[in-house]
Amino acid sequence: DDAAASEIIIGSPSVSSSHHLSPPNESSNAIIRAATNNRLRKQLDLQGFSRAVQPGGGLLELVKEAEMLYARKFCGDDIVQAQAELLSKQATTSFDWRLFQLGYRFGACLILTFWLLWDSIVDTLYRPPQNSNWLHSMFPIYRAYFCLVLMLWLAGCMSFVWNKYRINYIYIFELDPRKVPTLDEIFGKATNATILVMTNFLLYYKVLRGDFPHWLPAPYLPMILVLTSIGWALANLNSCKGIGM
């Protein structure tokens, strides 16, 4: 009996042993294969990158070839300047207020332009100026100032085109690189001059039409514009030389 019992016990596997010895199902096999493939892929990628960055691996040769090509096309074969320009720039977290200031100046110029056109075309048809003598006598002064303003805008547009297509206009026109203003500075001066001239002309025109009180004499406004422009030109003499003025 004891021998038979022992044979029965030995010959019949227990529940726990049958559970551990059962083959895994298909989902577990798929998970195992995916994990193994990911590990192998990462190892292969690391090994490939480590071989590529080594001398003769190919990556350093591609970097040198790109630097030489950039230097030949844009830096006059100066490899040091090309390496400096190709370095990745760290992004700054501070907000650049220059573009914001330039944007609202552009908006002010557009508003003044439409306002000037409305007053000089539409309102003149219904309410002509009370005194047209001063109007015709001062028009050549304002015409000259509007030509100067237009020249500033054209200088900014030309600088934009030259910088976009990488034309070395500083070397062509023999300008001093230390005194040449940037594109933002040129458009900033153009917007400031536009706001100054248009505001002065609108005030002058409204005084002539009787919209403003008579204690503000109209002939004084062009004189104020001339004095202000002379002071502005003296203060910005170096930058005006830089843009060819």
Side-chain angles (χ1 to χ4, degrees):
D1 295 334
D2 294 337
S6 62
E7 289 178 359
I8 294 172
I9 294 173
I10 294 173
S12 61
S14 62
V15 176
S16 60
S17 62
S18 64
H19 176 72
H20 289 290
L21 294 176
S22 62
N25 53 17
E26 295 181 358
S27 61
S28 61
N29 288 334
I31 294 173
I32 294 172
R33 285 196 301 270
T36 305
N37 292 335
N38 289 332
R39 287 196 299 268
L40 290 175
R41 189 178 295 109
K42 290 180 179 178
Q43 292 176 1
L44 291 175
D45 291 341
L46 292 175
Q47 291 176 2
F49 182 77
S50 63
R51 287 196 301 269
V53 297
Q54 292 177 359
L59 182 61
L60 297 180
E61 284 74 10
L62 289 176
V63 172
K64 291 180 180 178
E65 184 179 355
E67 291 174 351
M68 293 175 62
L69 179 62
Y70 187 88
R72 186 169 62 253
K73 294 293 184 180
F74 306 113
C75 301
D77 291 333
D78 191 351
I79 191 67
V80 178
Q81 182 181 356
Q83 290 174 350
E85 293 183 2
L86 289 174
L87 288 175
S88 59
K89 305 295 190 301
Q90 185 177 4
T92 57
T93 56
S94 60
F95 183 75
D96 191 3
W97 289 97
R98 292 178 300 175
L99 295 178
F100 176 76
Q101 293 176 356
L102 190 61
Y104 78 74
R105 288 175 182 174
F106 272 116
C109 291
L110 288 176
I111 293 173
L112 287 173
T113 301
F114 287 116
W115 193 357
L116 181 61
L117 293 175
W118 180 269
D119 282 358
S120 59
I121 298 175
V122 179
D123 284 353
T124 306
L125 297 176
Y126 297 98
R127 292 187 304 122
Q130 297 179 358
N131 187 359
S132 60
N133 295 328
W134 283 105
L135 180 64
H136 296 291
S137 61
M138 294 298 177
F139 254 15
I141 297 177
Y142 286 105
R143 189 184 303 119
Y145 275 100
F146 279 116
C147 289
L148 292 176
V149 169
L150 180 61
M151 186 171 61
L152 282 174
W153 283 104
L154 293 177
C157 294
M158 289 187 297
S159 298
F160 173 76
V161 174
W162 291 334
N163 289 325
K164 181 179 180 180
Y165 293 100
R166 298 184 180 275
I167 299 175
N168 193 359
Y169 65 95
I170 299 176
Y171 175 77
I172 294 174
F173 295 111
E174 298 181 357
L175 301 176
D176 189 355
R178 296 169 297 180
K179 297 181 180 180
V180 175
T182 61
L183 193 62
D184 296 338
E185 293 176 351
I186 296 176
F187 280 117
K189 289 179 174 57
T191 52
N192 291 336
T194 304
I195 292 172
L196 176 63
V197 175
M198 284 191 174
T199 303
N200 189 281
F201 182 75
L202 280 172
L203 291 175
Y204 173 76
Y205 198 68
K206 285 184 175 295
V207 169
L208 289 179
R209 289 196 322 178
D211 295 337
F212 278 20
H214 294 285
W215 56 265
L216 183 62
Y220 288 164
L221 291 171
M223 296 173 59
I224 294 174
L225 179 61
V226 172
L227 295 177
T228 305
S229 61
I230 291 174
W232 179 82
L234 293 176
N236 298 274
L237 186 61
N238 292 329
S239 60
C240 289
K241 288 181 179 180
I243 59 177
M245 292 183 60

